[in-house]
Amino acid sequence: MSGLLPSLESIENFAKGTIATAAGLGTVGVGLLFFGQNYLIYPSAFPPGSRTEVPLPIDFGLPYQDPELVTPDGLKLPCYLLLQRKDMSHVEAPEVETREDESDEEFASRRPTILMFHGNGGNVGHRIPLAKVFYVKMRCNVFMLSYRGYGRSEGSPSEKGIQIDAQCALDYVSSHPALSSSPIVLYGQSIGGAVSIDLASRNPHAIRALILENTFLSLPRLVPNAFPILGPFAFLCHQKWDSASKIPLIPRDIPILMLSGVQDEVVPREHMQGLWEIVQKRVSRRSKEVDAEDRTERNGKTVHDIVDRGAHSRFVEFEKGTHNDTCVQQGYWTTVAEFIASLRVRSTSET
């Protein structure tokens, strides 16, 4: 696993992009909470060159397709698709069981598909090192969405617009010849976690699981925590991303893995803890037979598990993780890999 983990050096561009969260929100003024807040919440041009310089998967030795989505409102979004193949020896991927008469398309259809939603800075290319772990180590298909107004995608970002983009991506994957029967897992970092929760709440029938990293209860509720002096003016924030109200709409048989950096300087730890409390209530409210929560501490991380008859959700805290480096903390990718593997085991046992 260690050879495939995204090193601090390999995700330099990724970190530069996501650090825009802190830079953007740190400059919010009372007036800008309403006027021009989209430019602060979605700093797609930071770091400089992010709108034109978009790394390609081939730069990291990954074969890929580049589907261009066209949204219902007519915008073109160039995206990346990493489709599994039976023979992945060219990237030294672990072998998995295949049938001799099975085509690459049939093989890909049996593998999980990760639908990636990135944070609010940089572009889709900055997250390729993370996609590589899913693709190579876990043998997952990966679809990387480029939001409107990001990278080379057309348009300007907004909550409503990105919701349209996410739905368009899900519809594409769901209708793809090789992916239509693949279990779909949403992976969202920071604001991408809010995108994932919103999409799952509107398409529970199409989603197998969610993986959420360092996301928030809602943007208006983030303002008082991060900037107490602006608390009284949080109502001016019209970009809501209200995850707290949407998680209860996600059925209990959809497991959720939550990954939280305890030292997160952008999204206070309490937000992930608050979302976890809602996940727990979602389970206990809908089932009378729920196992008690199990809490363990090991190797710099705290693991909270809650299991019911339909799902296994987990909340993991990384003691040294900050907003932009939680994904390189010890145990992060092992936790993710175990979660993905557990989905396959349950899926097999349910059929």
Side-chain angles (χ1 to χ4, degrees):
M1 174 70 74
S2 60
L4 286 170
L5 294 182
S7 66
L8 288 173
E9 180 179 0
S10 71
I11 64 167
E12 179 180 1
N13 287 336
F14 161 71
K16 287 180 180 179
T18 54
I19 198 68
T21 307
L25 291 177
T27 61
V28 173
V30 172
L32 288 178
L33 275 176
F34 189 82
F35 298 105
Q37 67 184 255
N38 282 23
Y39 295 100
L40 298 172
I41 295 172
Y42 312 106
S44 58
F46 187 87
S50 291
R51 292 289 275 127
T52 56
E53 301 170 11
V54 184
L56 303 172
I58 197 64
D59 298 335
F60 297 83
L62 301 177
Y64 74 105
Q65 299 176 17
D66 53 353
E68 184 176 76
L69 304 185
V70 179
T71 65
D73 52 345
L75 298 180
K76 296 179 180 179
L77 313 177
C79 302
Y80 298 149
L81 173 60
L82 310 181
L83 203 60
Q84 280 295 316
R85 305 175 179 180
K86 292 172 62 177
D87 182 6
M88 294 271 286
S89 58
H90 60 291
V91 289
E92 299 183 357
E95 293 186 5
V96 297
E97 184 178 352
T98 63
R99 299 190 303 270
E100 186 175 347
D101 60 344
E102 187 176 43
S103 67
D104 283 337
E105 185 174 283
E106 290 171 331
F107 174 73
S109 71
R110 294 194 294 108
R111 306 304 302 168
T113 296
I114 308 298
L115 188 48
M116 291 184 65
F117 299 112
H118 63 74
N120 74 336
N123 60 50
V124 66
H126 296 147
R127 280 75 180 186
I128 295 172
L130 309 183
K132 185 174 183 178
V133 183
F134 282 115
Y135 183 67
V136 176
K137 182 60 180 178
M138 303 179 210
R139 299 299 300 270
C140 294
N141 307 296
V142 183
F143 186 88
M144 306 181 71
L145 172 66
S146 178
Y147 307 137
R148 63 183 61 204
Y150 279 79
R152 297 191 178 94
S153 292
E154 297 177 345
S156 300
S158 67
E159 180 176 11
K160 181 178 179 180
I162 293 176
Q163 288 172 338
I164 293 173
D165 300 343
Q167 186 65 55
C168 192
L170 178 60
D171 292 345
Y172 174 85
V173 170
S174 299
S175 62
H176 190 282
L179 303 179
S180 58
S181 61
S182 169
I184 298 174
V185 180
L186 308 184
Y187 173 73
Q189 295 178 296
S190 191
I191 204 167
V195 177
S196 300
I197 292 169
D198 174 79
L199 185 64
S201 72
R202 293 184 286 108
N203 301 269
H205 60 285
I207 305 303
R208 182 67 183 86
L210 287 84
I211 303 174
L212 311 172
E213 179 200 306
N214 291 337
T215 193
F216 42 79
L217 291 160
S218 73
L219 280 180
R221 292 171 72 172
L222 179 62
V223 173
N225 284 323
F227 312 103
I229 194 171
L230 296 177
F233 306 97
F235 68 93
L236 294 174
C237 187
H238 56 70
Q239 298 293 289
K240 305 296 185 183
W241 290 114
D242 189 1
S243 295
S245 69
K246 294 174 182 176
I247 282 184
L249 303 177
I250 302 173
R252 66 179 176 85
D253 61 347
I254 297 179
I256 300 175
L257 173 62
M258 303 183 66
L259 307 163
S260 175
V262 173
Q263 306 300 322
D264 193 326
E265 73 286 9
V266 178
V267 178
R269 177 186 188 186
E270 292 75 19
H271 278 251
M272 286 290 281
Q273 292 175 328
L275 290 175
W276 175 243
E277 291 177 3
I278 298 172
V279 169
Q280 290 177 290
K281 292 177 182 177
R282 172 193 71 147
V283 173
S284 61
R285 182 173 61 248
R286 299 186 180 210
S287 174
K288 295 180 179 179
E289 298 181 16
V290 179
D291 295 337
E293 180 184 10
D294 178 45
R295 181 177 185 274
T296 59
E297 296 186 14
R298 56 182 180 271
N299 298 326
K301 65 179 182 180
T302 302
V303 181
H304 305 260
D305 286 304
I306 186 163
V307 184
D308 72 1
R309 288 178 292 178
H312 185 168
S313 293
R314 171 172 285 194
F315 176 39
V316 183
E317 291 186 308
F318 298 88
E319 300 300 326
K320 296 182 180 180
T322 66
H323 192 68
N324 295 316
D325 70 3
T326 298
C327 64
V328 296
Q329 296 301 307
Q330 181 180 4
Y332 179 98
W333 288 104
T334 300
T335 300
V336 173
E338 290 173 349
F339 182 72
I340 295 294
S342 73
L343 299 178
R344 295 201 299 272
V345 169
R346 283 197 297 279
S347 178
T348 300
S349 65
E350 291 167 1
T351 57

